Amino acid sequence: MNFFNTSASYEQKIELPLFDQKQVEVWMKRDDLLHPFVSGNKYRKLKYLAQDALQQGKQHLVTFGGAYSNHLVATASAGAALGLKTTAILRGEEEFNNPMLSICRLYGMGFKQVSREEYRNKDAAFAKHFGNDDGVYRIDEGGYSALGAQGCTDIFAELTQTYQHIFCAVGTGTTVAGLINGANEGTQIHGVVVLKGAEYLKTEIEKLLITPKDFTLHHNFYFGGYGKFDAEIMHFIKEFASQTGMLLDPVYTAKMMLGLQQLILQDYFPKNSKILVIHTGGLWGLTSEKAIELSVLP
Ligand SMILES: *Cc1c(COP(=O)(O)O)cnc(C)c1O
């Protein structure tokens, strides 16, 4: 399976005055460069899931998401590349039209729209539409799975340096679990949780760990809650992009970077710490109406 080739991602030092001033080094693992549509951690999470589906002789990936889901775009694109049919169980019954769903449609993804109420019970929704279909391979929302985490563990095989701290944004917790599984002693893994009050995530992450290990979740950088962002976030993205040449997405990576900067400002890290942040991609989030609207503000 040649599709999943990670050579495009590298570690890039982020040069910002704050980091010099506080004498910390911050590096970015550029997983945003892995693929234009199978972006960042979705690329890593889908690798072993898709492999598993093909090995089991399945022809059809079925997964779940909302109208702005990076995971749906990634599944549509990877599925098409691998000769697998794709269907999304889509949250909400209104007529959706946005660049992300449009890309999904162009890759041939089909949709089963369900009410928000129905969407909450994913087992029932799946059973109703695909219960008896042997050709279907089910992928949970956001690619939450042990195989997804395993794909994220692969990051360590590519790193050219060691770091005292590694940061990533947390949605389902799959990516951070993969990082925790792969980290050596001496590297602390940090997850920046972008959902408000999502204390349950600790348990969800622990379910994906191969052996119990210590890790840190930051719960105070959700900035309004999941999928919410304001002019301040967009302003930060603008500033960061113009200073570093790297775009961040408003739902995950901007909040992670803002959180990291706040921690650095508070002298959370000892001097000379070497920190790696994972760019988990998601840049299609910048095409949402709200992001476009806020990006023209001063
Ligand atoms: C999906 C996504 C995440 C969340 O990853 P999990 O493995 O679900 O925690 C983080 N960042 C970006 C850009 C994403 O698209």
Side-chain angles (χ1 to χ4, degrees), residues 129-196:
H129 294 288
F130 302 101
N132 310 312
D133 190 337
D134 283 341
V136 164
Y137 187 85
R138 174 178 164 170
I139 298 177
D140 281 335
E141 186 179 43
Y144 177 83
S145 57
L147 287 173
Q150 189 189 331
C152 298
T153 302
D154 286 355
I155 286 176
F156 287 96
E158 297 164 23
L159 297 185
T160 60
Q161 321 185 67
T162 54
Y163 301 90
Q164 279 97 53
H165 301 275
I166 300 183
F167 274 75
C168 74
V170 174
T172 66
T174 308
T175 304
V176 77
L179 294 174
I180 298 161
N181 282 333
N184 287 322
E185 235 176 278
T187 301
Q188 183 67 13
I189 304 297
H190 301 257
V192 176
V193 178
V194 299
L195 299 91
K196 183 178 174 181

Side-chain angles (χ1 to χ4, degrees), residues 39-42 45 69-71 141-144 152 168-177 194-195 201 205 226 249 251-253 278-283:
S39 167
N41 61 347
K42 303 305 184 284
K45 290 196 266 192
S69 163
N70 296 318
H71 170 67
E141 186 179 43
Y144 177 83
C152 298
C168 74
V170 174
T172 66
T174 308
T175 304
V176 77
V194 299
L195 299 91
L201 276 168
I205 292 164
Y226 183 65
D249 83 290
V251 179
Y252 297 98
T253 50
I278 311 294
H279 197 315
T280 42
L283 297 180

Side-chain angles (χ1 to χ4, degrees), residues 1-9 33-35 38 43-44 47 158:
M1 205 167 49
N2 298 328
F3 181 75
F4 293 100
N5 169 342
T6 54
S7 59
S9 170
L33 302 178
L34 285 173
H35 188 281
V38 193
Y43 193 90
R44 305 231 175 236
K47 178 179 173 183
E158 297 164 23

Side-chain angles (χ1 to χ4, degrees), residues 14-69:
I14 310 178
E15 307 279 2
L16 286 177
L18 171 70
F19 304 158
D20 284 344
Q21 189 191 319
K22 294 289 188 181
Q23 295 176 45
V24 293
E25 270 185 33
V26 181
W27 294 73
M28 181 80 92
K29 174 70 169 150
R30 296 295 309 273
D31 276 8
D32 56 317
L33 302 178
L34 285 173
H35 188 281
F37 301 102
V38 193
S39 167
N41 61 347
K42 303 305 184 284
Y43 193 90
R44 305 231 175 236
K45 290 196 266 192
L46 283 170
K47 178 179 173 183
Y48 294 112
L49 289 168
Q51 213 165 59
D52 189 39
L54 291 169
Q55 264 161 17
Q56 290 185 33
K58 306 287 188 185
Q59 301 96 40
H60 185 180
L61 304 177
V62 172
T63 192
F64 305 81
Y68 297 94
S69 163

